[in-house]
Amino acid sequence: PLTPFQGAVIAVGGALGVGEVGTCADVALEVGRPGAAQAVANVLRRVHGLPWWRVVPTGGRLYRSHEPTQRPLLEAEGVVIDPDRRVRA
């Protein structure tokens, strides 16, 4: 069973549409848990079927380890990512 926090993260993360990007901190704030960005990332890692690639680290820069998978998914949705792995609005 999911905790209320996990359910809220899934709802917010799952609601991001094609081309929309949020940060882990944005999601944490929206679910009423500011400062819980790492916990948001943990939920996203464990729940299959979520568009996890639309939630990026708080600084807006893709993790080097996620970039090979995340960058093409985001770029296919029209998201611009600079050479330093930062998402541009």
Side-chain angles (χ1 to χ4, degrees):
L2 298 173
T3 67
F5 173 76
Q6 291 168 326
V9 168
I10 291 166
V12 171
L16 290 170
V18 173
E20 293 180 321
V21 176
T23 68
C24 291
D26 293 336
V27 174
L29 188 60
E30 191 164 334
V31 301
R33 296 279 301 275
Q38 185 59 53
V40 166
N42 291 338
V43 172
L44 295 174
R45 256 196 308 273
R46 291 183 173 96
V47 178
H48 298 288
L50 280 180
W52 63 269
W53 59 91
R54 295 179 185 150
V55 181
V56 300
T58 299
R61 187 175 184 191
L62 305 182
Y63 289 127
R64 192 176 307 274
S65 60
H66 295 163
E67 182 186 15
T69 303
Q70 194 172 21
R71 178 187 283 267
L73 291 168
L74 288 170
E75 289 178 337
E77 294 184 352
V79 176
V80 176
I81 302 166
D82 73 16
D84 290 325
R85 302 186 322 273
R86 291 198 185 280
V87 173
R88 297 294 171 202

